[in-house]
Amino acid sequence: MDKEKRLKELVALLNEASKAYYQKDTEIMSNLEYDRLYDELVALEEETGITLANSPTVNVGYEVLSELPKQAHPSPMLSLDKTKEVETLKSWLGSHEGVLSWKLDGLTVVLTYENGELMNAVTRGNGEIGEVITNNAKTFENLPRRIPYKDRLIIRGEAVIKYSDFNKMNEEIADSEEKYKNPRNLCSGSVRQLNNEITAKRHVNFFAFSMVADVLNDTEIENIGFDNTVISRFDWLSKQGFDVVEHYTVDADTIADKVAFFAEKITNHDVPSDGLVLSYNDIAYGKSLGTTAKFPRDSIAFKWADELAETTLLEVEWSPSRTGLINPVAIFSPVELEGTTVSRASLHNVSILRALRLGLNDKITVYKANMIIPQVAENLTGSDNLVIPDKCPACEGDTTLKDENGVQVLFCTNPDCPAKQIKGFAHFVSRNAMNIDGMSEATLEKFIDKGIIRSLPDLFHLDRHKDMIVNMEGFGEKSYDNIIASVNTARTVPMAKFIYSLGIAGIGLANAKVIVAHFDADFDKIINAGVEELTAIDGIGEVLAQAFFDFFHSEEKLKLVNDLLLEITFEKEAEKGDQTLDGKVFVITGGVEHFANRDELKEYIEKLGGKVTGSVSAKTNYLINNDVTSNSSKNKKARELNIPILSEEDFIKLAKG
């Protein structure tokens, strides 16, 4: 092996991984893989005597990339040396008393208080210069804006988003591709926002873990009221109103039990953590030890020795996404890890897959990163016979390997790949379109990955893939039956909703209804309408008319429509009732009680000849809001324009004439 060449490769790969993690809030390799490569680099540097200027073993971090102001820290923020062995912690501690605490997985922030007021907040940045995020820090949910202590105080801590808050935010996002990846990435992006209103909505918490002792002399420490120990400072910070990291005093005899206590607790711990921190309780002693070029000697990090399980690689599933990226996923014989059964793990990219030298039926070890995310640790066989697919599993289009900053990734080259058209599928099945329940974007992506659906008509033939669907992860007989029932219900659909479901540029459901009404629900007339005829319809301008005309005069689109018409029938148009709301313009706001949702109320208004818009204007006739007396912006606007505000009961009376 060319050791110098390998050394350079490792420096480039580790720097790219750090850059992705700290600057772009993404991960291109697991922590275990990073640690393994880092240790290999350290050994090579010792063996060769060569240390490159940009080696991660001598550089703390990267320059921050942001429009936020920059600021130097009062003293450098170094990384911690680390170990995965409890015996190493015992040896490091020796006869001294230590303090063991969580190593939180968020974004490190330095806070400065003066005269009891929060004056400044700066991110860790590259350890010497960080980003000023003072306005954002003032929105942290548990951070005191004012404290009893009136002299200058500088503390360090971790900004985090709890798993419970993270999960709630993700539950509100229907688009699986848009869901946040993990709490750390979300926290990093939230803390560094230019608009602190966004930060405030992200439920960021702050946990203090140290004071910047260099700015305090012995007299100040005595006046503050604590001794020169880590524990006393934690206690004092708690009295000032700060939440501090959970911590305990330990010695060489008790540390193993306390590590086990934390290890058991992390499986259900709401605050993200990627390990523990052990510090000498005696601050003066720890400070006297000084630092290395990269690490302080008063503390050490403990990374979890992940529970490993040996299993057999059954297959590598290639999962395409809407960006064209095709991700490799390892499928292996189920094993128990950290109390749960796992059978699959992301391989991230082709570079990592090749580095593991994977082949079918290889014996591999797997673990859960931070006891949560399944990862492949090592390949014990190394047959290295996997073939990178030259065809996309979703569309059978050609694939290509791309080099992205030294990392090889696989892409689908077909612009019409259904995996890239996921938004179109999601729109087609949405409530205001075909309304196929149970067909979330996550489910659509799984069906596309498996080749179950490649075009919209395939949604009506899921029964051809029953065995595959029933045996897919997260599915079963009941899930399959529910989806099939929903698909069958969708076979009868209002014509306007079908037209809306096709995703014609600019054509919303309201426009579709107007068009259907204009042509008296004659579908042949609708699809053959000319631009001039369409522009004669109230509300349909030239741009919309042209888009509508172009869609139905595309040979490809027309074939799609005709294929879909073989699967569906149009719901008989309801007889027009008395047009008691003819020409009236309504705005709906707030919750509804007498209708299933606002869409149902909107349909009722339109059936009676009325029109619903999104904002209050001089053209609005009525605002419907059950909270008639509220001071919402729409209520205020309606009052300014002398527009009546109706409760649902008032509206129903009006509608009945």
Side-chain angles (χ1 to χ4, degrees):
M1 179 180 70
D2 187 332
K3 295 177 181 177
E4 289 76 15
K5 181 180 178 182
R6 178 59 176 165
L7 188 147
K8 292 178 181 178
E9 288 176 351
L10 289 170
V11 168
L13 188 56
L14 290 170
N15 282 344
E16 186 59 35
S18 293
K19 186 176 181 180
Y21 188 80
Y22 288 109
Q23 291 185 8
K24 301 177 182 177
D25 301 325
T26 60
E27 294 181 14
I28 62 173
M29 66 175 64
S30 67
N31 286 340
L32 189 73
E33 179 70 4
Y34 183 93
D35 291 344
R36 184 181 69 78
L37 296 177
Y38 185 93
D39 292 342
E40 182 185 351
L41 176 61
V42 170
L44 275 176
E45 288 180 341
E46 290 177 354
E47 184 179 352
T48 62
I50 299 171
T51 302
L52 299 177
N54 64 337
S55 171
T57 65
V58 294
N59 287 293
V60 175
Y62 286 88
E63 293 298 324
V64 293
L65 297 176
S66 172
E67 297 176 40
L68 292 167
K70 309 295 189 298
Q71 181 177 306
H73 294 296
S75 60
M77 300 181 66
L78 302 177
S79 303
L80 294 180
D81 200 359
K82 62 182 181 296
T83 181
K84 291 188 176 183
E85 305 296 331
V86 175
E87 288 302 317
T88 302
L89 294 181
K90 288 184 181 180
S91 175
W92 183 88
L93 192 56
S95 60
H96 296 277
E97 183 179 58
V99 177
L100 191 65
S101 62
W102 288 117
K103 182 177 181 293
L104 300 183
D105 192 18
L107 190 71
T108 301
V109 176
V110 183
L111 304 176
T112 300
Y113 285 78
E114 293 183 8
N115 195 32
E117 298 276 348
L118 175 63
M119 300 300 294
N120 194 37
V122 185
T123 66
R124 180 184 185 279
N126 68 351
E128 295 184 357
I129 298 174
E131 299 160 299
V132 179
I133 49 122
T134 310
N135 287 337
N136 295 343
K138 290 178 179 178
T139 71
F140 292 175
E141 291 195 338
N142 65 335
L143 184 66
R145 294 279 296 273
R146 298 181 180 86
I147 60 174
Y149 183 67
K150 299 306 178 186
D151 289 333
R152 190 164 186 253
L153 176 68
I154 301 177
I155 66 171
R156 293 173 179 168
E158 199 82 355
V160 298
I161 291 177
K162 296 178 180 179
Y163 285 114
S164 54
D165 291 323
F166 174 78
N167 292 334
K168 285 178 185 175
M169 283 184 274
N170 262 349
E171 285 170 4
E172 296 173 359
I173 302 173
D175 185 343
S176 62
E177 189 84 0
E178 299 298 324
K179 288 182 185 288
Y180 303 118
K181 304 305 179 188
N182 57 62
R184 184 209 169 270
N185 291 0
L186 176 59
C187 182
S188 178
S190 301
V191 168
R192 296 156 64 200
Q193 288 287 331
L194 296 178
N195 180 355
N196 68 348
E197 183 181 357
I198 298 174
T199 308
K201 294 177 180 177
R202 301 283 176 81
H203 306 287
V204 179
N205 281 258
F206 177 86
F207 292 89
F209 57 66
S210 72
M211 296 169 60
V212 182
D214 291 348
V215 303
L216 300 173
N217 58 42
D218 292 338
T219 303
E220 289 173 320
I221 290 173
E222 186 176 344
N223 290 339
I224 289 174
F226 53 73
D227 58 30
N228 200 31
T229 63
V230 171
I231 284 293
S232 67
R233 294 191 180 190
F234 274 144
D235 292 343
W236 182 82
L237 286 171
S238 294
K239 292 175 183 177
Q240 297 300 310
F242 295 101
D243 285 340
V244 298
V245 291
E246 185 177 358
H247 58 278
Y248 301 92
T249 54
V250 293
D251 56 30
D253 294 328
T254 62
I255 191 169
D257 287 341
K258 196 54 71 176
V259 169
F261 163 81
F262 277 111
E264 182 177 355
K265 190 170 185 176
I266 194 175
T267 55
N268 295 307
H269 197 47
D270 199 24
V271 181
S273 167
D274 57 358
L276 304 172
V277 175
L278 177 63
S279 304
Y280 293 113
N281 193 24
D282 187 332
I283 293 173
Y285 173 73
K287 187 177 178 181
S288 72
L289 300 177
T291 67
T292 68
K294 187 175 181 181
F295 307 121
R297 291 193 171 99
D298 63 348
S299 301
I300 186 172
F302 175 79
K303 305 284 282 190
W304 303 111
D306 302 292
E307 178 186 341
L308 292 174
E310 185 176 322
T311 184
T312 301
L313 181 69
L314 302 178
E315 65 173 304
V316 170
E317 181 180 280
W318 294 89
S319 179
S321 70
R322 72 189 55 164
T323 63
L325 179 65
I326 305 176
N327 296 302
V329 179
I331 311 298
F332 44 82
S333 299
V335 290
E336 290 289 321
L337 281 177
E338 312 291 353
T340 61
T341 301
V342 295
S343 59
R344 53 195 293 126
S346 173
L347 294 168
H348 301 285
N349 52 60
V350 174
S351 289
I352 288 178
L353 180 144
R354 285 178 167 167
L356 287 167
R357 297 173 56 80
L358 291 173
L360 298 185
N361 298 315
D362 279 2
K363 294 296 181 183
I364 59 174
T365 57
V366 295
Y367 71 105
K368 280 188 176 180
N370 295 332
M371 301 186 177
I372 298 170
I373 304 169
Q375 305 280 359
V376 176
E378 188 179 2
N379 183 1
L380 305 177
T381 306
S383 60
D384 198 20
N385 61 13
L386 278 180
V387 177
I388 309 301
D390 57 5
K391 299 293 182 183
C392 170
C395 69
E396 298 186 354
D398 292 338
T399 63
T400 184
L401 276 172
K402 294 184 180 180
D403 188 292
E404 293 195 342
N405 300 311
V407 176
Q408 281 197 316
V409 290
L410 188 67
F411 277 87
C412 172
T413 61
N414 177 15
D416 297 319
C417 175
K420 297 178 183 179
Q421 312 303 322
I422 187 71
K423 289 287 187 186
F425 282 94
H427 175 78
F428 183 80
V429 303
S430 64
R431 186 176 67 186
N432 287 333
M434 298 299 291
N435 192 24
I436 302 179
D437 285 337
M439 200 66 72
S440 65
E441 283 202 25
T443 298
L444 287 168
E445 286 182 308
K446 288 178 181 178
F447 287 176
I448 290 169
D449 289 350
K450 295 289 188 181
I452 294 172
I453 54 175
R454 293 183 177 176
S455 65
L456 294 177
D458 292 336
L459 289 164
F460 296 95
H461 296 287
L462 299 179
D463 55 324
R464 297 172 181 171
H465 307 278
K466 178 178 179 179
D467 290 343
M468 184 183 294
I469 294 172
V470 167
N471 290 293
M472 284 171 60
E473 185 176 358
F475 288 83
E477 289 280 354
K478 187 174 181 181
S479 297
Y480 169 80
D481 289 342
N482 289 340
I483 288 177
I484 293 298
S486 184
V487 167
N488 288 335
T489 299
R491 287 182 181 276
T492 303
V493 61
M495 188 181 295
K497 287 194 171 186
F498 175 74
I499 292 173
Y500 171 65
S501 76
L502 298 173
I504 305 169
I507 302 298
L509 182 56
N511 291 330
K513 288 179 178 178
V514 169
I515 293 170
V516 170
H518 179 81
F519 290 102
D520 294 323
D522 187 325
F523 195 70
D524 285 336
K525 287 183 178 179
I526 289 172
I527 64 175
N528 290 300
V531 172
E532 188 174 340
E533 193 174 5
L534 289 164
T535 55
I537 303 173
D538 185 33
I540 305 296
E542 189 171 339
V543 173
L544 291 183
Q546 190 65 54
F548 195 88
F549 177 86
D550 290 345
F551 183 92
F552 285 108
H553 285 75
S554 160
E555 185 177 339
E556 178 187 357
K557 299 297 186 185
L558 196 56
K559 181 182 184 306
L560 171 65
V561 170
N562 287 328
D563 288 344
L564 287 170
L565 290 176
L566 296 175
E567 309 296 339
I568 62 120
T569 57
F570 291 129
E571 195 174 277
K572 186 179 179 182
E573 293 295 316
E575 293 292 326
K576 288 187 178 181
D578 293 335
Q579 300 292 282
T580 55
L581 304 179
D582 188 34
K584 302 298 183 186
V585 178
F586 294 81
V587 173
I588 307 169
T589 188
V592 293
E593 298 169 1
H594 296 277
F595 296 84
N597 48 53
R598 283 197 240 172
D599 285 336
E600 186 177 286
L601 173 54
K602 180 181 176 182
E603 288 184 9
Y604 181 72
I605 292 171
E606 291 171 346
K607 182 180 178 182
L608 298 180
K611 182 179 179 182
V612 177
T613 62
S615 58
V616 177
S617 70
K619 294 181 179 180
T620 305
N621 295 109
Y622 299 97
L623 171 65
I624 301 175
N625 185 355
N626 279 318
D627 191 354
V628 175
T629 61
S630 81
N631 286 316
S632 68
S633 60
K634 287 182 179 177
N635 276 29
K636 287 180 180 178
K637 185 72 172 177
R639 292 190 192 106
E640 289 173 6
L641 297 173
N642 294 316
I643 294 169
I645 303 173
L646 307 179
S647 67
E648 271 182 275
E649 286 81 1
D650 295 332
F651 164 74
I652 291 170
K653 291 176 184 176
L654 175 71
K656 289 180 178 179

